[in-house]
Amino acid sequence: GNSVTQMEGPVTLSEEAFLTINCTYTATGYPSLFWYVQYPGEGLQLLLKATKADDKGSNKGFEATYRKETTSFHLEKGSVQVSDSAVYFCALIGNSGYSTLTFGKGTMLLVSP
Amino acid sequence: NAGVTQTPKFQVLKTGQSMTLQCAQDMNHNSMYWYRQDPGMGLRLIYYSASEGTTDKGEVPNGYNVSRLNKREFSLRLESAAPSQTSVYFCASSEGGGDYEQYFGPGTRLTVT
């Protein structure tokens, strides 16, 4: 079956540091890949997505590239802000029939001033 | 637009009690979902409704029932609550399956004593 593995957190950074959160996946076929973000006390919201190999998703300064050869979709940001403190979830959805999202366990990011 | 709304926000139940979590969306989405979020476990799908009139089991359906009341509303029922059902419950909706974005509600924090 499908699965997503993320690096464990918390990841603690100072403001303006470079961020990488690793995500690898196992899936049959060609899944679509997502990063969702959950701010404290809120539901999840889509941050970015990529639907085919070598696609780069980007939003709010965050980027992730769909790497089929390494089955990875690592999240990066060049300069984090305190307001980026949240939990980040990597997820995938299969491309056969009606598929549902499979989430990783989430990585908490804490950014200090 | 309110997006996805959930009631109640918080609930405490005693073991064996029953309750229904309500979810509604105003985006005319076809698909709706119920997830539970537990520490270190990410989000796990309980049930989903691909379209009005259909419901299907997700990864962790035991102890739950659902009703897709109409296109807008999707409820989750716990018939006999157990401490293992202590969790945060999220409802989500999307236009359809595949790589459509899912929109999440703010969550219901349920404690079963």
Side-chain angles (χ1 to χ4, degrees), chain B residues 34-56:
Chain B
W34 276 106
Y35 294 91
R36 58 178 290 172
Q37 182 179 30
D38 302 294
M41 298 294 290
L43 272 79
R44 293 181 292 170
L45 183 65
I46 304 171
Y47 270 94
Y48 67 99
S49 172
S51 60
E52 187 179 357
T54 69
T55 60
D56 285 284

Side-chain angles (χ1 to χ4, degrees), chain B residues 20 22-23 52-53 66-75:
Chain B
T20 299
Q22 306 286 354
C23 174
E52 187 179 357
V66 290
S67 295
R68 183 76 183 265
L69 304 169
N70 48 54
K71 193 171 186 180
R72 288 187 65 246
E73 299 173 286
F74 189 39
S75 63

Side-chain angles (χ1 to χ4, degrees), chain A residues 98, chain B residues 29-33 92-97 100-103:
Chain A
Y98 187 97
Chain B
H29 284 168
N30 292 307
S31 301
M32 298 186 73
Y33 312 83
S93 71
S94 65
E95 286 191 43
Y100 285 107
E101 177 178 356
Q102 289 190 18
Y103 294 79

